[in-house]
Amino acid sequence: MPADSPARATARETIALLTGAAGFTEHRPPSRPLPPDGPLGWAGYDAARERAGRRTGEEESVVYGTGVVGDRPCVLLAFEFGFLGGSLGRSTGDRLAAAHELALTRRLPLLALVATGGSRMQEGMVALTQLQRVAAASTRLRAAGLPQIAVVRDPTTGGGWATVGAGADVVLALPGAQVGFAGSRVRPPDADPYAYSAEGQFAAGQVDAVVPPGELAGALAHWLRALGPHGGLPAAPVPRALSAARLPETGREAVAAARDPRRPRAQAYLDDYFGTRLPLHGDRCGGTDPGLLCGFGLRADGLPVAYVAQCGTPTRPAGYRAAARTIRLADRLGVPVLTLVDTPGAANDAEAERAGAGAAIADAFAAVAAARVPVTTLVIGEGGSGGALALAAPDNTHVTADSYFSVIAPELAAAILKRPPSETGATADQLRLRPQDLLELGFARSVVS
């Protein structure tokens, strides 16, 4: 990537891009001088540090302090790649730990602007163990309910990617940035370079969005507003129904209405519900499910809400894992959750089984069950068995008039009971899957209009 690329901007240029006229107040940790040529006595290390300082004007590979992005105060830390490749040494670890502690003390979000080649070889294991310090500091922020956002610049590799970058709650990337655990000089010679790019990591579900530099400040302002920290937020309001469907008279009618291709889908409900949506992408295990939308949104009234929305397709294991990730993040940050249920059921092909369908569904059930924040569910279409129930809130599920929910699809129930296809409708009636049945059975709290 060219040296003058926006992804290769200096640490201070990147900070200024985000804080603008609001400015930035730099902090420095107490000085801890290194022994001559560092802890390993690496010949020429002091001279290399001096040259890096003259070239960049920096004392270390990380700059940190407080600033305002949009209208939200936060702690910013930015790597200076021009200083020994943005590598992590003991003094870098001091600054990273201090930045996390500053966020913890002031109860502010942490925004990391990452550009690093990894741990500093001239400091050996002393450098490598800084990753443990960063992980511990990040864990303390997580336990305190404070959000961590990373912007990965070019390049972001090695331990910096595996801690400050990929360990953040939300990971944004600049276009064209090299992103991956293995740097360009240590990966296999025949490796596909796309896998080590921002775009490749997004495709693999490791990055939430690839954001052009000109849009970065606005995107981060929205994310900081949505993630908080917050306290005592109310439950997410139930979305309004987007169709004028009447209540079905029979089970067969209910199923037909839910399967009608003209029925409003999750995208329409989310667009109607939110003024701003901020998607989370992927399960962080190499998988994505385009049939399940996750993220945080801001309503017109300013209320932040996390959302998990099925789009009418069989939900895949990656979708359930992404859903669990979203719900747990919202729970930790104190943000209410909205789930939209619409699936014929969990994906049941061989690939889904190999990808751990059962474990992924179990994890989604567990995330909903453990949530301390209020979870609100609206069934907007098909409620297909456990694959749908995994994302439904106990005691706070609502249904639309063009939806149904059933222990099993009526066609499959008839087949299991060895009934002819002509009895599918009667079987649907027996299952009592209509919206009004769900209300009477106590599963649904209301039929929304």
Side-chain angles (χ1 to χ4, degrees):
M1 176 168 291
D4 59 353
S5 164
R8 277 281 174 94
T10 68
R12 295 183 190 274
E13 287 170 345
T14 307
I15 291 171
L17 174 70
L18 302 180
T19 58
F24 169 71
T25 302
E26 185 175 359
H27 289 241
R28 288 184 173 85
S31 177
R32 285 203 302 162
L34 291 167
D37 280 331
L40 305 186
W42 187 287
Y45 180 43
D46 284 348
R49 286 177 54 87
E50 289 173 7
R51 288 193 299 270
R54 288 195 301 270
R55 185 169 57 250
T56 63
E58 302 296 349
E59 299 173 355
E60 247 306 334
S61 58
V62 162
V63 174
Y64 78 98
T66 56
V68 177
V69 177
D71 60 354
R72 297 287 161 157
C74 60
V75 171
L76 299 100
L77 69 86
F79 283 75
E80 176 51 67
F81 189 76
F83 192 103
L84 300 181
S87 56
L88 281 74
R90 193 194 73 181
S91 296
T92 321
D94 289 345
R95 291 180 174 228
L96 292 172
H100 284 75
E101 185 63 28
L102 182 62
L104 185 63
T105 301
R106 300 200 180 184
R107 292 204 56 79
L108 292 174
L110 180 72
L111 174 54
L113 312 170
V114 191
T116 173
S119 299
R120 196 170 294 171
M121 71 178 76
Q122 296 94 330
E123 295 189 26
M125 286 304 298
V126 172
L128 191 63
T129 56
Q130 302 310 308
L131 304 182
Q132 294 172 323
R133 291 182 72 190
V134 173
S138 176
T139 299
R140 288 191 290 273
L141 277 189
R142 192 169 289 114
L146 296 169
Q148 299 170 67
I149 304 172
V151 177
V152 291
R153 299 146 58 211
D154 184 57
T156 297
T157 61
W161 164 238
T163 51
V164 187
D169 299 315
V170 175
V171 183
L172 309 181
L174 293 181
Q178 180 189 170
V179 181
F181 185 62
S184 58
R185 298 184 184 181
V186 297
R187 68 182 63 138
D190 59 348
D192 178 7
Y194 181 73
Y196 303 86
S197 69
E199 291 75 11
Q201 295 285 6
F202 174 79
Q206 309 292 353
V207 163
D208 291 305
V210 178
V211 183
E215 300 174 14
L216 187 60
L220 287 169
H222 286 313
W223 271 115
L224 290 168
R225 203 170 295 126
L227 298 182
H230 302 290
L233 293 177
V238 181
R240 62 176 180 169
L242 297 184
S243 73
R246 59 174 179 81
L247 286 173
E249 295 183 4
T250 67
R252 184 189 292 274
E253 281 186 29
V255 173
R259 293 176 179 174
D260 189 332
R262 298 167 295 180
R263 172 182 57 77
R265 304 285 165 154
Q267 186 76 45
Y269 276 92
L270 294 175
D271 288 344
D272 183 69
Y273 193 79
F274 291 112
T276 300
R277 267 201 300 132
L278 305 162
L280 292 172
H281 181 73
D283 66 354
R284 295 300 187 264
C285 297
T288 61
D289 181 358
L292 188 126
L293 304 177
C294 293
F296 284 68
L298 294 166
R299 289 172 45 80
D301 59 8
L303 178 68
V305 175
Y307 63 86
V308 173
Q310 293 171 315
C311 299
T313 57
T315 303
R316 307 202 64 80
Y320 291 112
R321 285 192 287 266
R325 172 197 167 206
T326 302
I327 294 166
R328 289 193 174 108
L329 175 57
D331 188 51
R332 179 159 54 79
L333 300 179
V335 178
V337 177
L338 169 70
T339 67
L340 299 179
V341 169
D342 183 12
T343 180
N348 59 6
D349 53 50
E351 180 184 351
E353 294 297 340
R354 284 193 293 267
I361 296 168
D363 197 39
F365 269 115
V368 172
R372 296 159 297 179
V373 295
V375 181
T376 302
T377 297
L378 179 62
V379 185
I380 62 172
E382 292 194 80
S385 193
L389 190 67
L391 298 180
D395 303 322
N396 196 22
T397 290
H398 307 258
V399 295
T400 62
D402 48 359
S403 70
Y404 79 87
F405 218 119
S406 179
V407 64
I408 189 172
E411 297 87 352
L412 299 178
I416 290 172
L417 296 171
K418 299 182 180 179
R419 295 175 177 176
S422 60
E423 293 190 28
T424 298
T427 304
D429 289 335
Q430 280 186 291
L431 288 168
R432 298 196 65 194
L433 48 71
R434 300 175 304 167
Q436 58 267 47
D437 295 325
L438 300 172
L439 187 63
E440 185 177 333
L441 290 168
F443 172 74
R445 290 184 60 177
S446 73
V447 180
V448 303
S449 59

